[in-house]
Amino acid sequence: MSTLDNGVIRSPAVHAPGERQITFGQAILEAITEEMARDGSVFIIGEDVAEAGSVFKVLVGLLDQFGPERVIDSPISEAGIAGIGVGAAITGMRPIVDIMFGDFTTLVMDQLVNQAAKTHYMSGGKLKVPMVLRTTLGASRRSAAQHSQSLHALFSHIPGLKVAMPATPYDAKGLMKSAIRDDNPVVIFEDKMLYQERGPVPEREYTLPLGQADVKRAGDDLTIVATSSMVYVALEAADNLASIGISAEVIDPRTTNPLDTEALVNSAKKTSRALIIDEGYQQYGVTGEFASVIADGAFYYLDAPVKRIGAMNVPVPFSPVMEDLTIPTAEYVVETAKALCG
Amino acid sequence: MSETKDTKPNATELDAEHWLQAYEQMAKIRAFEEAANELYTSARMPGITHLYIGEEAIAVGVCEALRQDDYITSTHRGHGHCLAKGAALDKMFAELLGKEAGYCRGKGGSMHIADQETGNLGANGIVGGSAGIATGAGMSIKLRGTDQVAVCFFGDGALGQGLLYESMNMAQLWKLPVIYVCENNQYGEYTHNSKTAAGSMVGRAAGFGVHAQAIDGQDIRTVHATARLVIDRARKGGGPAFLVCNTYRFHGHHVGDIDRPYRTREEEAEWAKRDPLKLLEDWLVKSKQAESDVFERIQQDVKSAVENAVNYALEASFPSESEVDRHVYA
């Protein structure tokens, strides 16, 4: 069974009884709304974030609540709005810069990599850049090569940036709130396919620390490290593996920078086998870093080499029959896991 | 390329005392840069640096029209901006020498001096890289409801960067208090702007509806009077402005660029006649607002202050090794 079906992910995630269920998109909106209400220095700027409520309709209602001064429709000028974010952040604001497709983050590279990431360091700790850049990742929307990439590895590479990639509504809300309150530039990647995904989100106030992994499913025979929507692929694979007697533990780092290396290493020590799944291109992807962390930290506990599965190293194709070949599937994860445990 | 046909405001609102202060600021920048050059040529400064000599009237003329709580963003050729906005000589030299006592604890160096206490949001090693930052400061001013102004200094080389146009467009759309000051020193590194900038320089901003004018960047009276007008206008909600200040880089692109084969000595001699310090001195003497010996005394004062600052920086300590991974994150 494919996890991805008509654009909707059916989550095998365990829902806590009695807790409110909201979608991933609603969780993001709640986080931004709460933080904007709490702190007058928070504002959001981006293409179609105000009147249209963003292209994915995640921000509908925000303009009515906070007005056009703080919910700002910008021209199609990604570098410019990222620069505005940096300058506003240095001078006392907490901007959220909205880049609708992760692919478009290539247009803001100088502002993020050379400016936002380095300002605190270059100024000897005097200036701070408390900004959030929220953007998307993920293929399978039949959007072809320029609207489907998962480019989080590019930013995870850069000292001075933090990178979050929530998988569940609960994580999305908690990480977004922490990102807004953080004094550093944080890039949040939201999987476009997850916006309608429902999950438990408490109504009480909470945040989640950046740099703390989450065990999405406990297990003994194999560690599967998975990011963003790949968590659902991993959970589905873990279900299938359970039926043939393999107990998989699913670890979601939640942030790639900072990375909770301890959680990855400890799980691998316990299970002796590790498989990593991520939707970024496999070559030079975050999977390589995770694998290295596990190999370094758990080498003497491992019964097999660490395996990794990223997106195929091709531009994301348009035709569905081809596109589906490029992203990790539960079936492929199961096959790889079986070989690893064989 | 020259576009000096525009206004020459006659309102020189400063009195003689203030003009002498402005002269002193320019002389201080000149002396700082000469000392920086000397530190480089005597191999006492790590790396290279880009000298502002010849362009002093712009930084001083503009910054004299700013308040301490106003913002500037600067460039790789930024020592003049930092000093004009109020930076201290000793911390500047300490930074150039990579010392812990420097403005950035030795982590930034010549191209990245930042000092939030004087509103300096940082010099920038990326040409045009601060256009967005200055505009964001303008956005922040608007959202916070203060009457500050942000000035974005950049060279004519930045006219090739798209970010500048994205930024000016938004500044005008939202009437942000940002003054874009293009220091047109004729060359982007080693290439004359006649080979890199098509059409009109002021026309670039005028196309967005931004108030735009080209002025003589060697004449501090013109620079200051014009800056004052557009800064006051921005402070009152009148929106951004774009000034092309025509000037000349008396030295090479950086301290190591000593042969300058891309331009003629004749061209340099012509521009040398329009030394901004000399122009102000001549005017103050001719209009009988100052005696000529005053300028000699100022020169001596700033040279001695610079010498002291250099000695301070030379004797200052390097950062400890434990400093290397501090301040990656706040």
Side-chain angles (χ1 to χ4, degrees):
Chain A
M1 182 189 80
S2 169
T3 346
L4 305 170
D5 186 16
N6 298 326
V8 178
I9 293 184
R10 290 188 299 275
S11 169
V14 180
H15 295 157
E19 285 211 321
R20 180 180 63 134
Q21 302 274 322
I22 60 173
T23 67
F24 189 99
Q26 286 166 335
I28 291 286
L29 177 60
E30 254 188 27
I32 293 172
T33 303
E34 286 178 14
E35 293 306 300
M36 287 185 71
R38 175 182 169 270
D39 182 348
S41 67
V42 180
F43 71 97
I44 184 164
I45 182 168
E47 296 149 23
D48 286 326
V49 297
E51 298 277 346
S54 86
V55 286
F56 299 107
K57 302 296 171 200
V58 169
L59 304 176
V60 171
L62 203 61
L63 174 65
D64 291 340
Q65 193 166 346
F66 297 104
E69 288 264 300
R70 294 177 67 196
V71 184
I72 304 164
D73 273 331
S74 78
I76 302 174
S77 302
E78 284 84 359
I81 62 174
I84 281 180
V86 178
I90 292 174
T91 54
M93 303 299 289
R94 290 188 177 272
I96 304 169
V97 175
D98 187 299
I99 303 292
M100 62 173 77
F101 285 90
D103 312 72
F104 307 165
T105 60
T106 54
L107 294 158
V108 310
M109 275 297 181
D110 174 59
Q111 294 304 306
L112 267 185
V113 174
N114 288 324
Q115 312 296 343
K118 294 174 175 49
T119 294
H120 186 63
Y121 190 84
M122 289 194 306
S123 69
K126 284 182 179 171
L127 302 175
K128 290 180 196 163
V129 189
M131 74 179 261
V132 171
L133 188 140
R134 73 174 283 257
T135 190
T136 56
L137 59 68
S140 73
R141 286 180 83 248
R142 318 315 186 197
S143 302
Q146 296 174 335
H147 291 74
S148 304
Q149 295 170 95
S150 301
L151 297 178
H152 47 286
L154 299 182
F155 301 98
S156 306
H157 183 58
I158 305 300
L161 297 180
K162 294 185 179 182
V163 179
M165 34 197 319
T168 66
Y170 176 76
D171 292 351
K173 182 172 177 184
L175 293 173
M176 177 62 85
K177 285 169 71 83
S178 293
I180 293 170
R181 294 182 194 186
D182 200 281
D183 278 342
N184 299 283
V186 182
V187 186
I188 281 210
F189 284 91
E190 302 161 15
D191 192 312
K192 303 181 279 284
M193 304 301 286
L194 288 179
Y195 282 129
Q196 300 308 315
E197 175 67 13
R198 299 182 79 80
V201 176
E203 292 184 56
R204 66 177 161 79
E205 163 79 21
Y206 73 97
T207 59
L208 292 173
L210 303 173
Q212 191 177 94
D214 184 44
V215 178
K216 290 287 192 273
R217 174 185 177 127
D220 300 313
D221 302 327
L222 164 75
T223 295
I224 304 180
V225 181
T227 59
S228 188
S229 60
M230 292 300 107
V231 167
Y232 298 93
V233 172
L235 288 171
E236 187 189 339
D239 267 350
N240 295 345
L241 289 166
S243 68
I244 55 168
I246 297 174
S247 164
E249 177 151 292
V250 176
I251 303 268
D252 173 7
R254 296 198 290 204
T255 56
T256 54
N257 192 0
L259 179 64
D260 188 348
T261 55
E262 202 179 332
L264 268 55
V265 168
N266 286 344
S267 177
K269 280 182 176 174
K270 182 178 78 171
T271 64
S272 307
R273 292 179 175 82
L275 169 61
I276 298 157
I277 323 171
D278 177 75
E279 208 182 332
Y281 302 122
Q282 180 159 319
Q283 59 190 9
Y284 300 95
V286 296
T287 56
E289 181 75 15
F290 297 175
S292 170
V293 162
I294 292 170
D296 277 352
F299 183 77
Y300 293 106
Y301 297 79
L302 294 176
D303 289 338
V306 180
K307 294 291 287 181
R308 58 195 186 105
I309 307 173
M312 194 184 281
N313 296 325
V314 297
V316 180
F318 167 68
S319 181
V321 294
M322 288 193 290
E323 183 180 31
D324 290 347
L325 296 174
T326 69
I327 48 178
T329 61
E331 291 84 350
Y332 187 62
V333 171
V334 167
E335 289 313 307
T336 310
K338 278 160 66 178
L340 201 54
C341 297
Chain B
M1 182 180 294
S2 183
E3 297 182 30
T4 44
K5 60 186 178 296
D6 269 16
T7 55
K8 179 154 183 157
N10 49 21
T12 54
E13 297 174 45
L14 299 188
D15 55 23
E17 188 190 340
H18 286 97
W19 282 126
L20 285 173
Q21 278 175 18
Y23 180 87
E24 185 176 332
Q25 285 285 75
M26 290 200 291
K28 188 163 77 178
I29 295 168
R30 177 75 53 96
F32 181 96
E33 296 294 53
E34 281 166 352
N37 198 28
E38 165 61 20
L39 285 167
Y40 170 78
T41 50
S42 60
R44 288 181 292 170
M45 184 183 78
I48 55 153
T49 191
H50 310 81
L51 304 180
Y52 194 64
I53 292 175
E55 309 181 27
E56 295 92 340
I58 304 169
V60 176
V62 171
C63 289
E64 286 291 308
L66 292 175
R67 302 191 313 226
Q68 171 138 348
D69 68 339
D70 289 328
Y71 299 117
I72 63 161
T73 61
S74 174
T75 71
H76 60 286
R77 197 176 305 288
H79 306 156
H81 310 132
C82 300
L83 290 166
K85 194 67 176 59
L89 290 168
D90 50 359
K91 287 187 186 176
M92 289 277 294
F93 277 119
E95 191 58 38
L96 260 62
L97 297 184
K99 302 296 181 72
E100 187 163 9
Y103 269 109
C104 309
R105 306 175 68 83
K107 285 182 165 132
S110 162
M111 280 195 282
H112 303 295
I113 290 169
D115 176 27
Q116 83 275 37
E117 279 170 25
T118 57
N120 177 1
L121 303 181
N124 210 302
I126 306 296
V127 170
S130 68
I133 295 171
T135 309
M139 172 68 86
S140 163
I141 291 166
K142 186 184 170 196
L143 290 171
R144 286 185 284 110
T146 70
D147 68 345
Q148 294 160 287
V149 170
V151 171
C152 180
F153 289 105
F154 53 93
D156 47 308
L159 296 176
Q161 295 284 24
L163 177 68
L164 176 65
Y165 306 109
E166 295 184 16
S167 300
M168 285 199 293
N169 179 53
M170 287 186 276
Q172 178 66 10
L173 276 174
W174 302 324
K175 291 281 186 285
L176 304 180
V178 186
I179 312 299
Y180 300 91
V181 177
C182 176
E183 300 175 318
N184 175 20
N185 69 14
Q186 318 296 323
Y187 292 86
E189 289 197 346
Y190 312 118
T191 303
H192 193 267
N193 62 37
S194 60
K195 294 177 188 165
T196 55
S200 156
M201 288 188 185
V202 289
R204 284 159 160 77
F208 296 119
V210 172
H211 173 85
Q213 63 187 108
I215 59 173
D216 179 0
Q218 301 308 92
D219 177 9
I220 191 169
R221 295 162 56 214
T222 302
V223 173
H224 180 70
T226 312
R228 208 167 166 130
L229 288 173
V230 296
I231 288 166
D232 288 349
R233 177 176 169 274
R235 215 183 281 293
K236 290 172 187 148
F242 177 78
L243 301 180
V244 175
C245 301
N246 291 301
T247 185
Y248 200 73
R249 196 178 74 195
F250 284 11
H251 284 242
H253 167 54
H254 59 69
V255 284
D257 173 24
I258 49 175
D259 294 334
R260 307 180 305 283
Y262 47 86
R263 67 189 195 188
T264 65
R265 299 297 86 90
E266 290 73 23
E267 178 184 290
E268 293 177 351
E270 276 307 302
W271 276 95
K273 291 178 192 161
R274 307 211 65 248
D275 182 321
L277 279 82
K278 195 80 180 62
L279 290 182
L280 179 59
E281 178 182 340
D282 288 351
W283 174 70
L284 285 169
V285 171
K286 253 185 220 160
S287 58
K288 301 197 190 312
Q289 298 184 74
E291 303 288 336
S292 54
D293 58 345
V294 171
F295 302 96
E296 211 165 301
R297 203 185 66 233
I298 292 175
Q299 290 282 1
Q300 279 165 6
D301 287 351
V302 296
K303 273 180 188 145
S304 136
V306 160
E307 207 176 291
N308 289 341
V310 167
N311 288 334
Y312 166 84
L314 285 168
E315 284 162 23
S317 313
F318 283 107
S320 70
E321 289 184 2
S322 65
E323 183 76 13
V324 67
D325 61 354
R326 280 187 70 202
H327 306 123
V328 179
Y329 293 96

